[in-house]
Amino acid sequence: MAFLLRVELPDVPGSLGALATALGSAGADIEAIEIVERRTGGLVVDDVLLELPPQVMPDALITACHELEGVTVEWISRYAAGANLSMDLEAVERFTEDPARAIARLVEVVPETFRTDWAVALDRVDGVTHVMAESPTAPKLVPEADDWLGLRRAKVLRAVPAWESTVLAAAPARDRKGHQLVVVVGRHGGPEFLDSEVARLGHMASLAASVQVV
């Protein structure tokens, strides 16, 4: 079973190797490791995608990590998208190769690229908020969506009561004709979106909108 583990650890030589050894000793088979943020104080945040055999509980990984000096587990959960991390450049290739469907393609690749549960792109048609594209598990629109189209920059959104325990982020963009749109993403139960993730989402939304054929 695939799991995604987010850890904070010292940004020093040997630290990542020690983490990988500890996880392997606990029974994990590591599929990929990606640096998602460098923090002040000589710390780095990594996402570790791994497979666990049925007899190994996720708690064993947390225990193994916390036995290492300076390592903190921020979050661990099953990874529904499977053992495949899409890098940013691969995602960009996906939506730039089909300009007529650039926004739809962006929505398709966002869940894997950012490890979210869903994504949706919205715009406004005749004063009414409209879904341009959405992933299969995206929830129904809520009244709060009207405010998202007025965003000036990519940011973390306030929680929506109807979407319990879902953390949200959104990135506004304008297409070639200047029409406003917004890409909203959600994670059920976390982890919270990092500033670096929000910035990446904003960049991708702007790029997809700029190549979208309207």
PDB file of all heavy atoms in Angstrom, residues 127-147:
ATOM      1  N   GLY A 127     -21.954  36.415 -15.193  1.00  0.00           N
ATOM      2  CA  GLY A 127     -22.110  36.704 -13.772  1.00  0.00           C
ATOM      3  C   GLY A 127     -22.273  35.500 -12.874  1.00  0.00           C
ATOM      4  O   GLY A 127     -22.454  35.645 -11.661  1.00  0.00           O
ATOM      5  N   VAL A 128     -22.210  34.304 -13.444  1.00  0.00           N
ATOM      6  CA  VAL A 128     -22.400  33.074 -12.674  1.00  0.00           C
ATOM      7  C   VAL A 128     -21.107  32.268 -12.675  1.00  0.00           C
ATOM      8  O   VAL A 128     -20.496  32.067 -13.725  1.00  0.00           O
ATOM      9  CB  VAL A 128     -23.549  32.223 -13.260  1.00  0.00           C
ATOM     10  CG1 VAL A 128     -23.701  30.930 -12.478  1.00  0.00           C
ATOM     11  CG2 VAL A 128     -24.850  33.015 -13.258  1.00  0.00           C
ATOM     12  N   THR A 129     -20.686  31.809 -11.492  1.00  0.00           N
ATOM     13  CA  THR A 129     -19.494  30.979 -11.391  1.00  0.00           C
ATOM     14  C   THR A 129     -19.715  29.660 -12.114  1.00  0.00           C
ATOM     15  O   THR A 129     -20.732  28.982 -11.931  1.00  0.00           O
ATOM     16  CB  THR A 129     -19.142  30.714  -9.919  1.00  0.00           C
ATOM     17  OG1 THR A 129     -18.931  31.976  -9.260  1.00  0.00           O
ATOM     18  CG2 THR A 129     -17.883  29.883  -9.800  1.00  0.00           C
ATOM     19  N   HIS A 130     -18.731  29.292 -12.934  1.00  0.00           N
ATOM     20  CA  HIS A 130     -18.882  28.162 -13.853  1.00  0.00           C
ATOM     21  C   HIS A 130     -17.666  27.252 -13.737  1.00  0.00           C
ATOM     22  O   HIS A 130     -16.530  27.713 -13.582  1.00  0.00           O
ATOM     23  CB  HIS A 130     -19.001  28.713 -15.282  1.00  0.00           C
ATOM     24  CG  HIS A 130     -18.971  27.675 -16.346  1.00  0.00           C
ATOM     25  ND1 HIS A 130     -17.833  27.393 -17.064  1.00  0.00           N
ATOM     26  CD2 HIS A 130     -19.938  26.843 -16.809  1.00  0.00           C
ATOM     27  CE1 HIS A 130     -18.097  26.448 -17.943  1.00  0.00           C
ATOM     28  NE2 HIS A 130     -19.362  26.099 -17.812  1.00  0.00           N
ATOM     29  N   VAL A 131     -17.891  25.948 -13.808  1.00  0.00           N
ATOM     30  CA  VAL A 131     -16.803  24.972 -13.770  1.00  0.00           C
ATOM     31  C   VAL A 131     -16.241  24.785 -15.167  1.00  0.00           C
ATOM     32  O   VAL A 131     -16.937  24.322 -16.074  1.00  0.00           O
ATOM     33  CB  VAL A 131     -17.294  23.620 -13.213  1.00  0.00           C
ATOM     34  CG1 VAL A 131     -16.170  22.583 -13.278  1.00  0.00           C
ATOM     35  CG2 VAL A 131     -17.780  23.770 -11.779  1.00  0.00           C
ATOM     36  N   MET A 132     -14.958  25.121 -15.342  1.00  0.00           N
ATOM     37  CA  MET A 132     -14.283  24.906 -16.616  1.00  0.00           C
ATOM     38  C   MET A 132     -13.811  23.466 -16.761  1.00  0.00           C
ATOM     39  O   MET A 132     -13.900  22.866 -17.829  1.00  0.00           O
ATOM     40  CB  MET A 132     -13.078  25.841 -16.732  1.00  0.00           C
ATOM     41  CG  MET A 132     -13.388  27.324 -16.684  1.00  0.00           C
ATOM     42  SD  MET A 132     -11.863  28.293 -16.745  1.00  0.00           S
ATOM     43  CE  MET A 132     -11.237  27.871 -18.378  1.00  0.00           C
ATOM     44  N   ALA A 133     -13.257  22.937 -15.678  1.00  0.00           N
ATOM     45  CA  ALA A 133     -12.735  21.571 -15.666  1.00  0.00           C
ATOM     46  C   ALA A 133     -12.629  21.127 -14.222  1.00  0.00           C
ATOM     47  O   ALA A 133     -12.417  21.950 -13.324  1.00  0.00           O
ATOM     48  CB  ALA A 133     -11.367  21.505 -16.348  1.00  0.00           C
ATOM     49  N   GLU A 134     -12.760  19.825 -13.974  1.00  0.00           N
ATOM     50  CA  GLU A 134     -12.676  19.316 -12.617  1.00  0.00           C
ATOM     51  C   GLU A 134     -12.215  17.875 -12.625  1.00  0.00           C
ATOM     52  O   GLU A 134     -12.440  17.141 -13.586  1.00  0.00           O
ATOM     53  CB  GLU A 134     -14.021  19.427 -11.906  1.00  0.00           C
ATOM     54  CG  GLU A 134     -15.146  18.646 -12.563  1.00  0.00           C
ATOM     55  CD  GLU A 134     -16.474  18.856 -11.874  1.00  0.00           C
ATOM     56  OE1 GLU A 134     -16.486  19.271 -10.703  1.00  0.00           O
ATOM     57  OE2 GLU A 134     -17.522  18.601 -12.517  1.00  0.00           O
ATOM     58  N   SER A 135     -11.543  17.473 -11.569  1.00  0.00           N
ATOM     59  CA  SER A 135     -11.160  16.077 -11.431  1.00  0.00           C
ATOM     60  C   SER A 135     -12.373  15.283 -10.956  1.00  0.00           C
ATOM     61  O   SER A 135     -13.332  15.852 -10.427  1.00  0.00           O
ATOM     62  CB  SER A 135      -9.990  15.948 -10.448  1.00  0.00           C
ATOM     63  OG  SER A 135     -10.294  16.564  -9.213  1.00  0.00           O
ATOM     64  N   PRO A 136     -12.359  13.969 -11.146  1.00  0.00           N
ATOM     65  CA  PRO A 136     -13.549  13.159 -10.867  1.00  0.00           C
ATOM     66  C   PRO A 136     -14.096  13.278  -9.450  1.00  0.00           C
ATOM     67  O   PRO A 136     -15.303  13.161  -9.241  1.00  0.00           O
ATOM     68  CB  PRO A 136     -13.075  11.732 -11.163  1.00  0.00           C
ATOM     69  CG  PRO A 136     -11.968  11.910 -12.149  1.00  0.00           C
ATOM     70  CD  PRO A 136     -11.272  13.175 -11.748  1.00  0.00           C
ATOM     71  N   THR A 137     -13.233  13.517  -8.463  1.00  0.00           N
ATOM     72  CA  THR A 137     -13.691  13.549  -7.076  1.00  0.00           C
ATOM     73  C   THR A 137     -13.924  14.967  -6.553  1.00  0.00           C
ATOM     74  O   THR A 137     -14.126  15.154  -5.351  1.00  0.00           O
ATOM     75  CB  THR A 137     -12.673  12.845  -6.154  1.00  0.00           C
ATOM     76  OG1 THR A 137     -11.390  13.490  -6.281  1.00  0.00           O
ATOM     77  CG2 THR A 137     -12.539  11.376  -6.522  1.00  0.00           C
ATOM     78  N   ALA A 138     -13.887  15.955  -7.428  1.00  0.00           N
ATOM     79  CA  ALA A 138     -14.097  17.341  -6.984  1.00  0.00           C
ATOM     80  C   ALA A 138     -15.502  17.503  -6.406  1.00  0.00           C
ATOM     81  O   ALA A 138     -16.471  16.977  -6.954  1.00  0.00           O
ATOM     82  CB  ALA A 138     -13.896  18.299  -8.147  1.00  0.00           C
ATOM     83  N   PRO A 139     -15.648  18.240  -5.297  1.00  0.00           N
ATOM     84  CA  PRO A 139     -16.968  18.436  -4.693  1.00  0.00           C
ATOM     85  C   PRO A 139     -17.801  19.446  -5.477  1.00  0.00           C
ATOM     86  O   PRO A 139     -17.296  20.141  -6.359  1.00  0.00           O
ATOM     87  CB  PRO A 139     -16.633  18.974  -3.297  1.00  0.00           C
ATOM     88  CG  PRO A 139     -15.331  19.688  -3.492  1.00  0.00           C
ATOM     89  CD  PRO A 139     -14.582  18.889  -4.522  1.00  0.00           C
ATOM     90  N   LYS A 140     -19.073  19.512  -5.123  1.00  0.00           N
ATOM     91  CA  LYS A 140     -19.962  20.475  -5.774  1.00  0.00           C
ATOM     92  C   LYS A 140     -19.606  21.901  -5.345  1.00  0.00           C
ATOM     93  O   LYS A 140     -19.083  22.126  -4.261  1.00  0.00           O
ATOM     94  CB  LYS A 140     -21.414  20.170  -5.415  1.00  0.00           C
ATOM     95  CG  LYS A 140     -21.913  18.839  -5.957  1.00  0.00           C
ATOM     96  CD  LYS A 140     -23.378  18.614  -5.583  1.00  0.00           C
ATOM     97  CE  LYS A 140     -23.886  17.287  -6.136  1.00  0.00           C
ATOM     98  NZ  LYS A 140     -25.308  17.047  -5.788  1.00  0.00           N
ATOM     99  N   LEU A 141     -19.918  22.854  -6.203  1.00  0.00           N
ATOM    100  CA  LEU A 141     -19.630  24.249  -5.900  1.00  0.00           C
ATOM    101  C   LEU A 141     -20.354  24.704  -4.640  1.00  0.00           C
ATOM    102  O   LEU A 141     -21.450  24.232  -4.324  1.00  0.00           O
ATOM    103  CB  LEU A 141     -20.051  25.147  -7.067  1.00  0.00           C
ATOM    104  CG  LEU A 141     -19.157  25.152  -8.301  1.00  0.00           C
ATOM    105  CD1 LEU A 141     -19.690  26.156  -9.317  1.00  0.00           C
ATOM    106  CD2 LEU A 141     -17.724  25.509  -7.933  1.00  0.00           C
ATOM    107  N   VAL A 142     -19.714  25.625  -3.936  1.00  0.00           N
ATOM    108  CA  VAL A 142     -20.293  26.230  -2.739  1.00  0.00           C
ATOM    109  C   VAL A 142     -20.337  27.744  -2.938  1.00  0.00           C
ATOM    110  O   VAL A 142     -19.640  28.287  -3.816  1.00  0.00           O
ATOM    111  CB  VAL A 142     -19.457  25.890  -1.486  1.00  0.00           C
ATOM    112  CG1 VAL A 142     -19.587  24.422  -1.134  1.00  0.00           C
ATOM    113  CG2 VAL A 142     -17.992  26.258  -1.709  1.00  0.00           C
ATOM    114  N   PRO A 143     -21.151  28.473  -2.160  1.00  0.00           N
ATOM    115  CA  PRO A 143     -21.238  29.938  -2.325  1.00  0.00           C
ATOM    116  C   PRO A 143     -19.887  30.646  -2.213  1.00  0.00           C
ATOM    117  O   PRO A 143     -19.674  31.678  -2.863  1.00  0.00           O
ATOM    118  CB  PRO A 143     -22.177  30.340  -1.186  1.00  0.00           C
ATOM    119  CG  PRO A 143     -23.031  29.149  -0.967  1.00  0.00           C
ATOM    120  CD  PRO A 143     -22.133  27.971  -1.188  1.00  0.00           C
ATOM    121  N   GLU A 144     -18.971  30.085  -1.413  1.00  0.00           N
ATOM    122  CA  GLU A 144     -17.659  30.709  -1.243  1.00  0.00           C
ATOM    123  C   GLU A 144     -16.897  30.811  -2.560  1.00  0.00           C
ATOM    124  O   GLU A 144     -15.980  31.634  -2.698  1.00  0.00           O
ATOM    125  CB  GLU A 144     -16.819  29.911  -0.236  1.00  0.00           C
ATOM    126  CG  GLU A 144     -17.305  29.994   1.195  1.00  0.00           C
ATOM    127  CD  GLU A 144     -18.315  28.931   1.552  1.00  0.00           C
ATOM    128  OE1 GLU A 144     -18.956  28.387   0.621  1.00  0.00           O
ATOM    129  OE2 GLU A 144     -18.475  28.647   2.752  1.00  0.00           O
ATOM    130  N   ALA A 145     -17.253  29.979  -3.542  1.00  0.00           N
ATOM    131  CA  ALA A 145     -16.531  29.962  -4.813  1.00  0.00           C
ATOM    132  C   ALA A 145     -16.599  31.307  -5.528  1.00  0.00           C
ATOM    133  O   ALA A 145     -15.687  31.664  -6.273  1.00  0.00           O
ATOM    134  CB  ALA A 145     -17.076  28.856  -5.709  1.00  0.00           C
ATOM    135  N   ASP A 146     -17.679  32.062  -5.316  1.00  0.00           N
ATOM    136  CA  ASP A 146     -17.799  33.370  -5.959  1.00  0.00           C
ATOM    137  C   ASP A 146     -16.666  34.298  -5.550  1.00  0.00           C
ATOM    138  O   ASP A 146     -16.178  35.103  -6.343  1.00  0.00           O
ATOM    139  CB  ASP A 146     -19.145  34.005  -5.619  1.00  0.00           C
ATOM    140  CG  ASP A 146     -20.307  33.276  -6.269  1.00  0.00           C
ATOM    141  OD1 ASP A 146     -20.089  32.609  -7.294  1.00  0.00           O
ATOM    142  OD2 ASP A 146     -21.428  33.364  -5.739  1.00  0.00           O
ATOM    143  N   ASP A 147     -16.227  34.194  -4.287  1.00  0.00           N
ATOM    144  CA  ASP A 147     -15.152  35.057  -3.797  1.00  0.00           C
ATOM    145  C   ASP A 147     -13.793  34.656  -4.366  1.00  0.00           C
ATOM    146  O   ASP A 147     -12.898  35.493  -4.513  1.00  0.00           O
ATOM    147  CB  ASP A 147     -15.098  35.014  -2.269  1.00  0.00           C
ATOM    148  CG  ASP A 147     -16.348  35.578  -1.621  1.00  0.00           C
ATOM    149  OD1 ASP A 147     -16.981  36.461  -2.238  1.00  0.00           O
ATOM    150  OD2 ASP A 147     -16.697  35.137  -0.512  1.00  0.00           O
TER     151      ASP A 147
END
